[in-house]
Amino acid sequence: MAEVTSKVDKVAKLADPMESSIDASTQEMLRRAQRLNVETVFDRAVTMKPCAIGMQGICCKNCAMGPCRLPLPKDGIQGEDTRKGLCGATANTICARNFIRMIAGGAAAHSDHGRNVAITFLAAARGETHDYKIKDPIKLMQIAPYFGVATTVEVDGVVKDRDIKEIAIAVGEKAVAEWGKTSGTIDYLKRAPQPLQDKWAEAGVLPRNVDREIVEIMHRTHMGVDQDFRNLMKQGTRAALADGWGGSMIGTDLQDVLFGTPSPLQAEANLGVMKEDHVNIIVHGHEPLLSEMIVAAAQSQEMIDYAISKGAKGIQLSGICCTANEVLQRHGVPPAGTFLQQELAIITGACDAMVVDVQCIFQNLANVAKCFHTKLITTHPIARMEQDNVLHIEFDEHHAMEDAIRIVKIAVDNFTKRGADVIIPRHKSAQIAGFGVESIRYHLGGSFRGDYYTLNDNIINGRIRGIAGVVGCNNARTKHNDEHITIIKELIKNDVIVLTTGCSAIAAGMHGLLTPESAAVHCGPGLAEVCETVGIPPVLHLGSCVDNSRILLAATEVVKAGGLGKDICDLPAAGSAPEWMSEKAISIGQYFVASGVYTVFGYHMPLEGAPVFKDYLYKDMENIFGGKWDCEPDPVKHAHKMIAHIDKKRKELGIDKARDRVLMDMADRQALGME
Ligand code: NFS
């Protein structure tokens, strides 16, 4: 091992591994890091406390007369709230500004990712790059109509299928235009249930184009512009919808068309997927444009032979964060861990290269990499690191495969430079990942009706109590994976089927909840029976965070299948981000709320300093969109808030007592509005 140069001596305190994570491999690597004097996020979290005023959401630094800080008085607001900044901005205004700037950051990150995918898709369609091909033409045909692109053409009175290349170019052009078109609204909004579209229109929140909504947040939150928290939130909602039903959804779809629509596959999860006798390459970040190429390069015989020539047994690719989910759901590449394990993967001493692109990448990776032989490679023009041990290989879709091979070669060459002291934790779990709207239909719909009928039937008869989306990050202020796993277990124990994405999905995989076998161990009798009959896990891995758009579409399919109301807000369903930390989570939360979902966040929300604005999100939102925010740090209470909401919706639907399976005939179905 190279000389240890990390600055652990400046850290006043060390984290307690047992208090830091529920995962044994994380605890083991954290202990090793501390033995080696390599500082990690866990130590920094016990050393540096968060700012109490920032946590309350009421610090305004949008102009140079500030920062103005408006802490809540110790005994709360008595009478009129007289707090104001130098310009007179109230706590509500400041808190709402901060909140929607988080939405802008999150929507920008997701949507810029989507834009890059759309640009690459168009280049591939036009034949300007040969490394990307259309892998799923059926999905292309399915999405074309939403962009107003015809899939047939009439020649001399005869209707014929249109050339696939022509369709792809037209879809690519329309998709790229969604970021900046000058009239109309985002095309994909029409995929939502009609009553929801009507609500958005009535509330005046239909997003016009992705970029405009994000820019307008920056304008409105500039000093002296929008000073009404309701009007600020209107814009926050527009931008969030532009993310969920726009940038993210387009990103997911075009990735599926380019790289293949996921279908369930088997893999493993956790740091134990790394192999001591293999070249270990870890892809980390979000955009699958490069990682897809690295998968292809690492699996090529040429590169495998090259690795063998250097004394390795092969190349082991694994992932961290949402890039992990992207390559997992399409190729079965195993995730090495969640967001909080990124430093730990290097601390194994076995990571020959960590290849990063954008989002959720710790700058401290460079300091940790310095302590080992690991090559840290940045690849994206918008995400570089200042430390001089970081290699920058700028990825370009026009010579994507060339770049990928170069990176894999660097990793292989670096294998020979490993130190002797390699410790890879043994822990890993088996998992099934790669569900999507299409595969849920296949597994739970049945080919006869071709929709979500079986799922709906099981919800109506009470075997499945409801649906939960559990998503989002890890946060070093909470115990790693504890909230995710406790909440998910509590939900499935109570017969709530869970759809999961992002780091939550990786956590579920690490802790064995993504296997059909886990149903018998952890589920209530109803959900266990359904899972065992159909052969699915009780927790379905739907991909990365941009793939939360899959959850929106799955919910829409459930509405369409009938019998559970007319809109997403009628469904016995709830959303959760137990260990959230990123601005993207706030954007996701708001587009779920504005799509009618009761959405509970864990840890805390930066709203405590502005109780009126907080109430607006936690109560009034429901009157506008049918969904609302909530926050509950205690994971068991958190799950039960979701279950209580699900039960409330079951009651409203009149299915709260129908816990015994009743075989339905046609008349029953008609009565439920399913025919
Ligand atoms: Ni989502 Fe993915 Fe993980 Fe959180 Fe970061 S990786 S986009 S933001 S930390 S789930």
Side-chain angles (χ1 to χ4, degrees), residues 211-274:
D211 286 350
R212 179 170 182 181
E213 305 312 352
I214 295 164
V215 168
E216 194 170 308
I217 286 185
M218 300 313 285
H219 182 185
R220 287 201 199 199
T221 57
H222 181 277
M223 194 273 145
V225 186
D226 204 347
Q227 295 155 36
D228 172 0
F229 64 89
R230 293 179 202 87
N231 209 39
L232 284 160
M233 258 328 280
K234 203 162 140 181
Q235 185 55 26
T237 303
R238 259 198 213 110
L241 291 174
D243 172 359
W245 293 89
S248 281
M249 198 174 276
I250 297 169
T252 294
D253 275 351
L254 295 183
Q255 283 171 186
D256 283 356
V257 175
L258 271 183
F259 308 132
T261 301
S263 60
L265 39 71
Q266 199 165 359
E268 292 174 322
N270 211 344
L271 290 167
V273 303
M274 295 172 75

Side-chain angles (χ1 to χ4, degrees), residues 453-475:
Y453 165 68
T454 307
L455 175 60
N456 284 32
D457 187 20
N458 277 300
I459 295 173
I460 293 163
N461 70 30
R463 270 201 183 81
I464 297 178
R465 192 166 179 167
I467 307 170
V470 183
V471 308
C473 326
N474 287 145
N475 185 322

Side-chain angles (χ1 to χ4, degrees), residues 110 285-286 320-323 325 339 359-360 471-474 501-504 544-546 581-582 584-585 588:
H110 280 149
H286 285 78
I320 298 263
C321 285
C322 280
T323 289
N325 288 317
F339 172 71
Q359 301 167 26
C360 303
V471 308
C473 326
N474 287 145
T501 60
C503 288
S504 188
S544 66
C545 282
V546 295
M581 63 82 205
S582 85
K584 290 177 285 179
I588 293 165

Side-chain angles (χ1 to χ4, degrees), residues 373-415:
H373 79 301
T374 305
K375 289 263 186 259
L376 181 61
I377 305 172
T378 54
T379 56
H380 208 291
I382 70 162
R384 300 188 63 157
M385 288 183 183
E386 67 184 86
Q387 290 98 322
D388 56 11
N389 62 321
V390 180
L391 207 61
H392 185 72
I393 299 180
E394 201 150 300
F395 169 70
D396 182 328
E397 70 268 18
H398 296 97
H399 41 76
M401 198 57 191
E402 229 173 274
D403 295 337
I405 287 180
R406 194 172 150 212
I407 289 169
V408 172
K409 268 195 174 150
I410 289 171
V412 172
D413 290 338
N414 202 34
F415 173 78

